[in-house]
Amino acid sequence: MTSTSRLIQGNEAIALGAFYAGARFYAGYPITPSTEIAEICSRELPKLGGTFMQMEDELASMGAIIGASLTGVKSFTATSGPGFSLMQENLGMATMGEVPLVVIDIQRSGPSTGLATKPSQSDFMQLRWGRHGDQTVIAICPSSVRECFEMTVKAFNLSEQFRTPVIVAPDEIVGHMRENYAVPAPGELPVCDRIKPSGPADGYKPFNFEGDKVAPLASYGSEYIFHITSSMHGEDGFSNNDPQNAARRVAQLHKKIEEHRGDIVMTKSYDVEDCDILVVATGAVARTARAAAAEARKKGLKVGVLQLITIWPFPDVEIIKAVEGARKVVVAEMNYSGQLAGEVVKALGPQVNLKKVNSFNGQIITPADILKEFD
Amino acid sequence: MSHATGLEYLRKEALPLMWCSGCGNGITLGAMLRAFEELRYKKNEVVVVSGIGCWGKADDYIMTNALHTTHGRALTYATGVKAANPELHVVVLMGDGDGATIGGNHLIHAARRNMDLTAIIVNNFNYGMTGGQFSATTPAASITSTSIAGNPERGFDICGLAEAAGANYVARETVANGAMLKKRIVEALGKKGFSLVEVISPCTTLFGPRNKMKQPIDMIRWMKEKGVPRAKYEQLANAEADGYFVTGKLVDKDYPDFCASYESMRSRINVRAGGK
Ligand SMILES: Cc1ncc(C[n+]2csc(CCOP(=O)(O)OP(=O)(O)O)c2C)c(N)n1
C-alpha cells in the first residue's frame, strides 16, 4: 500500500521517519525550531505503544534516551542550538558507552540565543567537536522533506549498525519547509535493527568487538546481564585503567566509523562531470546552489553542484573526485567562519581556487549571491 | 530464618573495596545487596544506575545490570530505563554532590514525576572524590578544602526537598545502624513511585578530620548522638541549632507513579484516536 502524497513539514517528516525506523522513545525539552517534533511524538508515540517524555532540560533528555536505548528501544531527541550545547556531556557518554541513538539538531542562528527563530548552518564544528575527549561522530544534513524522512531512517540504521549516536542536523529552513511527500510503505526503505547477542548469557561481554565490527548489544531485562560505563572500560564493561586497553578502545571508537565511511558518507552530484566551477553546499543552501548553477548553465557557464548530505565523516574523497577538471570551487554556507570551506581547503590543499559565500544574518543565501562568484 | 548476605550480587573479584577505611559506602553497599536478596531480585531484572563520585563507583562491585553515568545525571538515565521498561527494578546511587547539588534539579523532577525509582543518596557532607570541597549539604561553618575558614553557605535537607517535590517514600538513616538501613532500602524498593533513602555516612579522610572528628569512630559517635527519631527531635529545645537530624521513615504515600499515569493517558489518547 502506498500512501498518497501530501504537504509535509520537514520536522514532521523527521518524526515520521523516526517512527518508520522503529523509534518508540522520545525525550526532549521544547525549543524553536524543533518543537513540532516533540509535539508530534507526544501525540503519536503513545498510540504506537511507545513513550514520550518532556524532561526538565536537555541534559536530562540525553540521559533519558541513553537509558531507554539500553532497554532495547530505539530512542531519540530533538533540539536546537542552546539545547544541543546542553546535551554535549551526555552525548559523549553515548559515544563512550556505544549506545545507539539519534539526536536531531535543527540548526538556528547564534551565538547564544541569537536570532532564535532564524536559520543558520553554524553547528558543523560543534556536531563534530562539541564533546570533550577525542572521539568521532556521524552527522547528516538533509535538504528537503524527502531527505528529512529518508535520512532520519538512515540515521537510526547507522546508529544501530555502528552502536553510536548519529546526529541529523537540518537548518531551520529545511526543518520548517513544507513539500509534497508520500510516506513510504513499510518495507520500502531498509530498517536495521540492533545486533543482539546470541551466545550463552554467562560470560556475555558488551564490548567484545572483533576487527572493525561492533560488539552485539543486549537489552536490560533480557537474560544477558551487563555493565555500561562512561569510564574507560574493558570488554566486560567494567572500568579498566590499563593503558593498552584504553588505546585499543579509543582507536576502535574511531575505526568502527572511519573504516566504514563507504556505508556512511552520502553526497549528491548535479552536473559535476564537465563542470568548470564546482559549488559545494548542504541543507537549504544546496537548493540555492542548484538554482544558481541552472541559471549559470543557461548563460553557458559549466557549473556543477556537490550536495553534502553526510557532514561527518567529512566527504573529502567525494569532493576531491568532484572537483577534478574544475578551475574553481565555491563553498556556500550559512555561517561567517566558513566551517565547511575550511574542511574543503583541508581536502584540496591551500592553493585551491576557492570562493566563500556566507550568510550570517539569519537570512538564506540567494542564487544571486552565488551567481556573483561565477565570474 | 537465615540472614541475607547479599553475596550473590557482589562482584568478588573486584575486592578489596576502593573506599577509605571507615568509609560508610561499604556498609551501604552491603545493606543494599542484602535488600536485593531479601526481595529475591533476579540480577537481570535489576539496573543499578550510578553517578560520579566515591559512592558512584559502587557499581564496580555489583553483579546486576549497571549503568555508570555522568556527574549529577544518574536520575535522568534511570528515568529513561524505567519509562522504557517498567518491569525493571531501577536503583540510583548518588553522593550528596551528585544527587543534591549538581543534580539537584533532576532530583526535584524525578520526585515530582514520581518515577518508580529508588534513589540511595550517600550524604558524607562533602565531595569525597575530588578531595573534600563543600557541597549543598555541607553544614554552615564546616571546614572543607574550599571553605578553610568555615562554609559561608548553608547546607540543605535532601529529605525535605524530596518530600516537597512529591516523593512517595523518604527515609533517612545512618551507617551506624546497617540493619535499619537495610530495612529502609527494602521498604523503598518495595514502594511504587519515587523513593529516596538518604544515608548519613562518614567521610573519614576528609570531612571528619577537618571538623574535629579525627577518628572514624568519632563520626560514628556523632551520628549516633545527633540522629534521632522525629518524636525525640521535636522534644529537643534547640534541635536544629544543636545539629540534630531526624532519622527514620519520613514520608510514606501511594500517589500513582509516572508509568501508571502514563498508561492512563495512553488509553485516553487511544480512545480519542479510535473515536475519530
Ligand atoms: C560535570 C562534572 N563536574 C565535576 C566533576 C568532578 N567530580 C567528580 S566526583 C565529584 C564530587 C563527588 O562528590 P559526591 O557526589 O558528594 O560523592 P562522593 O565522592 O562524596 O561519594 C566531582 C565534583 C565531574 N566528574 N563532572
Side-chain angles (χ1 to χ4, degrees):
Chain A
M1 191 197 84
T2 39
S3 67
T4 48
S5 70
R6 62 180 175 93
L7 266 187
I8 295 185
Q9 189 199 46
N11 280 346
E12 183 184 0
I14 287 170
L16 299 179
F19 305 154
Y20 188 96
R24 291 296 179 268
F25 188 89
Y26 176 99
Y29 188 87
I31 185 167
T32 305
S34 74
T35 308
E36 293 85 0
I37 300 172
E39 289 172 345
I40 293 166
C41 288
S42 77
R43 294 194 296 267
E44 300 304 323
L45 277 174
K47 292 184 218 159
L48 295 168
T51 307
F52 161 86
M53 290 198 77
Q54 185 167 306
M55 299 303 290
E56 54 272 26
D57 58 32
E58 288 84 351
L59 294 88
S61 307
M62 266 308 305
I65 66 170
I66 293 171
S69 177
L70 288 170
T71 70
V73 178
K74 290 184 185 176
S75 303
F76 75 124
T77 187
T79 188
S80 184
F84 189 58
S85 292
L86 287 184
M87 288 178 178
Q88 298 302 319
E89 188 195 10
N90 286 338
L91 185 51
M93 192 289 173
T95 296
M96 186 57 150
E98 300 193 60
V99 184
L101 52 86
V102 171
V103 177
I104 313 293
D105 170 31
I106 311 293
Q107 295 188 67
R108 75 183 218 187
S109 171
S112 193
T113 307
L115 295 165
T117 61
K118 300 287 186 226
S120 88
Q121 299 181 323
S122 46
D123 294 352
F124 297 132
M125 290 299 148
Q126 191 186 18
L127 296 171
R128 176 66 185 85
W129 302 108
R131 281 76 54 210
H132 63 278
D134 198 13
Q135 55 188 277
T136 191
V137 77
I138 299 174
I140 299 173
C141 194
S143 77
S144 64
V145 168
R146 168 184 295 278
E147 284 177 6
C148 281
F149 187 96
E150 293 179 355
M151 289 304 118
T152 302
V153 176
K154 178 81 178 177
F156 276 97
N157 289 349
L158 293 173
S159 80
E160 296 293 341
Q161 278 171 278
F162 298 108
R163 269 186 71 174
T164 190
V166 176
I167 309 165
V168 182
D171 48 71
E172 182 275 343
I173 296 169
V174 174
H176 277 164
M177 78 171 41
R178 285 173 206 272
E179 294 183 292
N180 248 349
Y181 181 58
V183 170
E188 260 179 64
L189 298 181
V191 168
C192 306
D193 289 324
R194 197 165 299 182
I195 305 154
K196 300 251 173 79
S198 52
D202 230 22
Y204 163 63
K205 294 196 170 114
F207 296 92
N208 186 14
F209 64 88
E210 274 169 42
D212 59 2
K213 294 208 172 61
V214 299
L217 179 60
S219 308
Y220 289 148
S222 71
E223 58 178 320
Y224 298 89
I225 298 170
F226 63 103
H227 259 66
I228 299 280
T229 170
S230 58
S231 296
M232 188 55 68
H233 46 272
E235 292 179 342
D236 58 2
F238 284 94
S239 55
N240 183 319
N241 291 338
D242 173 47
Q244 243 183 320
N245 172 72
R248 183 165 177 266
R249 183 132 322 276
V250 171
Q252 156 70 359
L253 290 177
H254 285 82
K255 279 189 197 164
K256 70 177 182 181
I257 292 172
E258 282 166 7
E259 293 184 7
H260 293 273
R261 75 183 294 292
D263 300 332
I264 300 169
V265 176
M266 295 168 287
T267 58
K268 279 186 187 166
S269 355
Y270 300 93
D271 298 327
V272 299
E273 295 75 19
D274 67 339
C275 74
D276 290 329
I277 301 172
L278 177 73
V279 188
V280 177
T282 189
V285 182
R287 305 171 70 128
T288 311
R290 286 172 60 195
E295 198 60 34
R297 287 255 168 196
K298 279 189 213 154
K299 294 183 194 153
L301 286 173
K302 289 183 178 169
V303 179
V305 174
L306 184 70
Q307 178 199 338
L308 311 184
I309 298 176
T310 305
I311 300 297
W312 303 111
F314 194 71
D316 47 5
V317 182
E318 291 69 15
I319 290 172
I320 291 168
K321 196 162 160 267
V323 87
E324 250 173 56
R327 60 179 168 81
K328 185 175 181 177
V329 182
V330 176
V331 183
E333 55 189 312
M334 296 172 64
N335 59 60
Y336 177 86
S337 35
Q339 297 183 8
L340 294 180
E343 292 303 304
V344 174
V345 172
K346 218 160 131 187
L348 301 177
Q351 73 294 335
V352 64
N353 179 13
L354 183 142
K355 286 275 182 248
K356 296 198 269 187
V357 180
N358 304 82
S359 84
F360 35 89
N361 59 355
Q363 302 298 312
I364 192 173
I365 293 173
T366 64
D369 297 331
I370 299 178
L371 272 165
K372 271 189 263 174
E373 299 302 330
F374 293 163
D375 308 326
Chain B
M1 196 186 105
S2 68
H3 289 285
T5 60
L7 278 176
E8 60 173 305
Y9 304 92
L10 183 70
R11 187 163 161 255
K12 296 176 199 76
E13 69 260 36
L15 299 176
L17 300 172
M18 62 162 289
W19 299 307
C20 307
S21 50
C23 174
N25 286 345
I27 295 169
T28 311
L29 177 66
M32 182 178 80
L33 300 186
R34 287 180 178 90
F36 288 176
E37 184 176 325
E38 280 191 11
L39 293 165
R40 296 177 207 277
Y41 278 178
K42 291 195 190 140
K43 291 193 214 74
N44 67 324
E45 292 169 357
V46 177
V47 183
V48 170
V49 183
S50 60
I52 303 290
C54 295
W55 175 231
K57 289 287 281 176
D59 65 281
D60 276 353
Y61 308 107
I62 299 173
M63 295 293 286
T64 66
N65 293 302
L67 180 54
H68 183 61
T69 65
T70 50
H71 189 39
R73 316 300 164 197
L75 282 167
T76 72
Y77 289 74
T79 295
V81 170
K82 185 69 191 189
N85 185 349
E87 303 294 306
L88 293 166
H89 307 296
V90 185
V91 188
V92 195
L93 313 185
M94 298 166 288
D96 46 291
D98 212 14
T101 313
I102 188 170
N105 196 35
H106 307 307
L107 178 58
I108 293 172
H109 292 285
R112 176 185 63 80
R113 230 172 244 131
N114 212 16
M115 284 309 299
D116 184 23
L117 307 170
T118 296
I120 302 179
I121 300 190
V122 172
N123 182 2
N124 60 5
F125 304 103
N126 72 166
Y127 292 161
M129 180 68 104
T130 44
Q133 300 78 25
F134 65 85
S135 81
T137 64
T138 305
S142 300
I143 311 296
T144 71
S145 72
T146 46
S147 62
I148 55 164
N151 184 14
E153 303 181 11
R154 291 177 292 177
F156 84 119
D157 174 355
I158 295 174
C159 291
L161 178 83
E163 177 174 8
N168 261 1
Y169 178 95
V170 179
R172 184 188 290 116
E173 295 296 345
T174 75
V175 299
N177 190 345
M180 185 53 85
L181 180 56
K182 183 206 66 189
K183 180 172 175 244
R184 296 300 176 214
I185 295 173
V186 169
E187 288 171 357
L189 289 168
K191 174 63 75 176
K192 261 254 170 291
F194 190 74
S195 58
L196 180 144
V197 180
E198 179 187 355
V199 185
I200 303 296
S201 180
C203 181
T204 52
T205 303
L206 302 164
F207 189 78
R210 287 173 178 151
N211 290 282
K212 300 192 183 128
M213 292 176 279
K214 288 251 173 317
Q215 300 298 323
I217 190 67
D218 298 333
M219 285 208 77
I220 298 290
R221 284 200 187 105
W222 165 81
M223 57 185 66
K224 278 184 149 171
E225 185 200 332
K226 298 292 185 187
V228 295
R230 176 139 32 207
K232 178 155 182 209
Y233 185 89
E234 279 162 5
Q235 283 164 12
L236 292 165
N238 292 312
E240 199 183 345
D242 292 343
Y244 286 90
F245 56 87
V246 180
T247 56
K249 194 200 300 186
L250 307 174
V251 176
D252 188 349
K253 296 188 296 198
D254 289 299
Y255 190 83
D257 75 298
F258 171 85
C259 292
S261 307
Y262 199 87
E263 284 316 310
S264 53
M265 185 213 67
R266 188 196 304 283
S267 38
R268 291 196 298 276
I269 283 208
N270 283 336
V271 165
R272 274 185 192 217
K276 255 196 210 153

